[in-house]
Amino acid sequence: MLTLLRDLRRIRRDIALDRPVRGRSLALRHVDAGSCNGCEHELTLVSSPYYDLQRFGLGVVASPRHADVLLVTGPVTTRMHAPLLVAYHAMPEPRRVAALGDCALGCNVLGTAENIVGSVEAVLPIDVRIPGCPPTPDAIAQALLELIDR
Amino acid sequence: VSAYRESVAAAVEEGWRFAGLHAAAGGSCVRTLLVRDAAVRLETVAVSDGLAPSLVDLIPAAGWDEREAHDLYRVGFAGHEPLRPLVDHDLDLAHWTVPVRGNDPYQIAVGPIHAGVIESGHFRFHVVGERILHVDARLFYKHRGLERAAEGKTLDDGIAFAARACAACAVTNSVAYAHACEDALGLVPRPELARVRTILLELERLWSHLNDIAAVCAGVGLAAGNNGFAALAERARRLNAALTGHRFLFGSVRVGGSALTFDETMTRGARAEIDAIHADSERMWHELLFNASFQDRLPGIGVVGVADAERLGALGPAARAAGLEEDVRAASSRLAYEGFRPVVPRRAAGDVQARLEQRALELLQTYALLDSLLARPVEPAVAEAGAREDAIGVGRVESPRGATSCIVERSGERIERLRLRTGSYANWPAVAFAAVDNLLPDFPLINKSFELCYACVDR
């Protein structure tokens, strides 16, 4: 256990991450509206030692009730349309929506019309666009840090 | 009595294993894929009056495939009772759940949206207190109609649909698709093409298995283990980007050849980084082994024994962790796995601990494979004419989650029907089975010990 913790300290030192200077936070709620799982895998690593966004006050929360930002991945499938709206309406105001990844932005989406409603923007007002297929943890981190300053 | 059922039953007697079932375009016939070592065969039966004979009594693992063929191609299966909806979400609860009776059982509905960064899917737990009696999984929230959308596309363009099914299995699905097309076109990969694809497949397994170990640590709540292995998964993905320009190796596989070039500097750098990841993962694994509170959570949880694994059609690490020594890599004539032997843990108990250990054992194979495959630079390569052409092609590849089968039915240069049956698809029934009799709070851990994708099931 001590070795594991020492390793993590070493990683942190080697990467030389910036010290957080912000005193604010954003609570993020992720909804997979039909992605290929690429955005999820990259979003997971945003919390890993190489990026460690928690130190900037950015954390994924378990309920939309606790969230400031809805992070939506994937083209919105017919079956995820209603659950996505439920999650959005459960959020307190002010709330923001981030479309994460090219599919969520309606770019180069594959599938049939009967199974896909459209981009996130077609069903919700969006505040942030994070392009990429999938966006790298770096790109996700950058976009979220800009959002925290808005 | 149907000749189809008889011939499938006889094949199973002779040691052939079920590897998928699908309705052909238009639902005119049903095809069952059977495999034995490197050999594959398709048993086809015509659909008459909307019905085909069911195989579920002979092969329980065909259950999901038949339900899918019914929901997407309107084929009924005589003898499959009740034929519960799988892809179809329009029917109410009583149609897709198993009735559970007894002393005070109740249901807990979870999803499709989960509490963490997790794909969408719905689980209905039938419980008494915290004890799970039964789980009905309802997936396909992410169904995008990818197979249907691929119909009519050229064989070259179709690979995008196989790749997009799932980022975590993008290489596996693409190689399985390329193999299926090349099988249909009578093309045989040159050794150099086999080598570069094998490198890509093992790079995918590398980040995936590291990710899976991190996920089990997260399931137990061991943040240090989770972070340590997540950092290694990050390094593996950076290595992917350094070699191919993409962290998930997207766009690195195509039908009929490969344009990838890794010069000596790249292969030398890759081997050094793989060596370093190997050393660090061994050290971290050692820490996990001697962390008593972590280890205490693993044995006896989420058990799928060898007989159940076989009956349910479990594949890949989940099946090997139960003692089934099956791995498509041992019989992959189109890939560079000469001399590969599947590995199973000494204590093949089919529980969370065995499935975790299985990942660690397979990582050792992957480090060794990559080290030798990257011993010299990689050059562009092709597949050459060398076999009989056919209207149907089959590709089989071992994904990090088990054997993936891809079938391409073509009409000339165009796709008539594409079916992708991934390792995740095969294993979901085993996840539901593994949860029975366990405590509800252990379900996330059980689920993570399989770490299946939803995306490549839903397609």
Side-chain angles (χ1 to χ4, degrees), chain B residues 101-263:
Chain B
R101 294 183 203 88
N103 193 7
D104 202 22
Y106 59 96
Q107 294 184 10
I108 299 175
V110 177
I113 300 175
H114 300 287
V117 178
I118 303 170
E119 292 187 87
S120 293
H122 180 84
F123 300 102
R124 193 157 283 261
F125 297 94
H126 305 257
V127 299
V128 170
E130 298 225 314
R131 188 71 62 184
I132 300 170
L133 301 178
H134 177 77
V135 186
D136 289 302
R138 183 194 232 188
L139 304 184
F140 295 92
Y141 280 88
K142 293 155 64 102
H143 181 57
R144 290 150 286 163
L146 287 172
E147 292 179 356
R148 191 76 86 163
E151 290 171 10
K153 298 284 188 295
T154 65
L155 296 180
D156 284 347
D157 291 346
I159 200 161
F161 296 84
R164 184 66 63 82
C166 181
C169 314
V171 175
T172 304
N173 294 347
S174 306
V175 172
Y177 174 85
H179 282 179
C181 290
E182 289 160 11
D183 183 32
L185 294 167
L187 299 175
V188 179
R190 300 272 310 142
E192 182 66 3
L193 181 58
R195 180 166 72 103
V196 64
R197 285 177 176 170
T198 307
I199 291 170
L200 296 170
L201 286 165
E202 292 306 315
L203 286 171
E204 180 165 88
R205 195 175 330 275
L206 175 61
W207 79 254
S208 189
H209 276 21
L210 291 168
N211 169 77
D212 293 359
I213 296 175
V216 169
C217 293
V220 170
L222 182 65
N226 175 34
N227 276 307
F229 278 94
L232 294 180
E234 168 69 22
R235 279 166 64 183
R237 275 194 223 151
R238 288 183 180 188
L239 173 62
N240 292 347
L243 287 172
T244 69
H246 197 282
R247 288 163 56 91
F248 294 83
L249 309 161
F250 285 3
S252 57
V253 180
R254 58 186 182 80
V255 178
S258 162
L260 287 177
T261 306
F262 304 160
D263 63 23

Side-chain angles (χ1 to χ4, degrees), chain A residues 1 3 7 29 32 34-38 41-42 45 49-51 62 77 79-80 83 108 111-112 133-134 137, chain B residues 87 89 113-116 119-120 140-142 144 164 166-167 227 231 234-235 237-238 246-248 283 287 291:
Chain A
M1 188 67 189
T3 308
D7 277 2
R29 177 79 282 260
D32 163 13
S35 80
C36 76
N37 202 8
H41 274 295
E42 293 296 53
L45 285 188
Y50 279 85
Y51 308 95
T77 61
R79 290 120 187 267
M80 281 308 295
N108 192 21
T112 56
C133 182
Chain B
V87 186
H89 282 195
I113 300 175
H114 300 287
E119 292 187 87
S120 293
F140 295 92
Y141 280 88
K142 293 155 64 102
R144 290 150 286 163
R164 184 66 63 82
C166 181
N227 276 307
E234 168 69 22
R235 279 166 64 183
R237 275 194 223 151
R238 288 183 180 188
H246 197 282
R247 288 163 56 91
F248 294 83
R283 229 156 27 82
E287 291 302 305
N291 189 318

Side-chain angles (χ1 to χ4, degrees), chain A residues 29-76:
Chain A
R29 177 79 282 260
H30 159 251
V31 173
D32 163 13
S35 80
C36 76
N37 202 8
C39 292
E40 280 68 23
H41 274 295
E42 293 296 53
L43 184 56
T44 302
L45 285 188
V46 173
S47 311
S48 76
Y50 279 85
Y51 308 95
D52 191 15
L53 273 203
Q54 285 92 334
R55 74 208 151 94
F56 294 110
L58 286 158
V60 176
V61 292
S63 167
R65 281 295 204 225
H66 307 153
D68 304 306
V69 180
L70 197 64
L71 269 177
V72 188
T73 60
V76 182

Side-chain angles (χ1 to χ4, degrees), chain B residues 62-412:
Chain B
W64 273 40
D65 301 72
E66 291 191 354
R67 292 162 67 190
E68 175 181 321
H70 173 265
D71 290 358
L72 293 180
Y73 289 85
R74 295 289 138 209
V75 177
F77 286 90
H80 188 147
E81 291 288 340
L83 189 58
R84 295 196 168 87
L86 184 76
V87 186
D88 188 351
H89 282 195
D90 293 338
L91 296 169
D92 62 21
L93 196 63
H95 285 93
W96 61 271
T97 52
V98 173
V100 174
R101 294 183 203 88
N103 193 7
D104 202 22
Y106 59 96
Q107 294 184 10
I108 299 175
V110 177
I113 300 175
H114 300 287
V117 178
I118 303 170
E119 292 187 87
S120 293
H122 180 84
F123 300 102
R124 193 157 283 261
F125 297 94
H126 305 257
V127 299
V128 170
E130 298 225 314
R131 188 71 62 184
I132 300 170
L133 301 178
H134 177 77
V135 186
D136 289 302
R138 183 194 232 188
L139 304 184
F140 295 92
Y141 280 88
K142 293 155 64 102
H143 181 57
R144 290 150 286 163
L146 287 172
E147 292 179 356
R148 191 76 86 163
E151 290 171 10
K153 298 284 188 295
T154 65
L155 296 180
D156 284 347
D157 291 346
I159 200 161
F161 296 84
R164 184 66 63 82
C166 181
C169 314
V171 175
T172 304
N173 294 347
S174 306
V175 172
Y177 174 85
H179 282 179
C181 290
E182 289 160 11
D183 183 32
L185 294 167
L187 299 175
V188 179
R190 300 272 310 142
E192 182 66 3
L193 181 58
R195 180 166 72 103
V196 64
R197 285 177 176 170
T198 307
I199 291 170
L200 296 170
L201 286 165
E202 292 306 315
L203 286 171
E204 180 165 88
R205 195 175 330 275
L206 175 61
W207 79 254
S208 189
H209 276 21
L210 291 168
N211 169 77
D212 293 359
I213 296 175
V216 169
C217 293
V220 170
L222 182 65
N226 175 34
N227 276 307
F229 278 94
L232 294 180
E234 168 69 22
R235 279 166 64 183
R237 275 194 223 151
R238 288 183 180 188
L239 173 62
N240 292 347
L243 287 172
T244 69
H246 197 282
R247 288 163 56 91
F248 294 83
L249 309 161
F250 285 3
S252 57
V253 180
R254 58 186 182 80
V255 178
S258 162
L260 287 177
T261 306
F262 304 160
D263 63 23
E264 211 196 317
T265 317
M266 289 165 82
T267 53
R268 204 185 315 118
R271 287 174 81 192
E273 177 62 357
I274 288 161
D275 246 6
I277 292 174
H278 180 180
D280 282 349
S281 80
E282 278 301 285
R283 229 156 27 82
M284 285 186 202
W285 178 250
H286 188 265
E287 291 302 305
L288 294 186
L289 282 183
F290 290 94
N291 189 318
S293 62
F294 174 74
Q295 292 293 335
D296 191 46
R297 288 285 305 276
L298 312 177
I301 303 300
V303 178
V304 182
V306 65
D308 292 317
E310 192 149 18
R311 177 176 59 84
L312 295 164
L315 298 173
R320 292 190 283 275
L324 281 178
E325 276 187 56
E326 290 184 340
D327 193 315
V328 183
R329 289 179 286 176
S332 293
S333 57
R334 288 172 182 269
L335 294 167
Y337 286 115
E338 293 82 7
F340 181 89
R341 300 304 318 153
V343 63
V344 297
R346 218 162 2 116
R347 182 190 159 280
D351 55 6
V352 171
Q353 185 184 54
R355 284 189 289 275
L356 178 67
E357 189 185 349
Q358 183 66 30
R359 268 24 172 273
L361 291 171
E362 293 186 12
L363 273 174
L364 297 179
Q365 293 179 304
T366 293
Y367 296 132
L369 279 165
L370 283 171
D371 191 59
S372 83
L373 289 163
L374 287 164
R376 56 194 165 84
V378 167
E379 311 266 327
V382 292
E384 292 178 333
R388 201 166 50 86
E389 284 193 42
D390 205 334
I392 306 182
V394 178
R396 298 251 307 146
V397 174
E398 185 75 21
S399 85
R401 281 153 284 278
T404 290
S405 303
C406 182
I407 296 181
V408 172
E409 302 191 20
R410 68 180 177 122
S411 158

Side-chain angles (χ1 to χ4, degrees), chain A residues 2-18:
Chain A
L2 285 173
T3 308
L4 275 173
L5 293 172
R6 200 188 57 217
D7 277 2
L8 293 177
R9 250 204 327 274
R10 177 179 54 79
I11 291 170
R12 196 160 192 174
R13 197 187 56 228
D14 291 352
I15 304 166
L17 290 172
D18 297 340

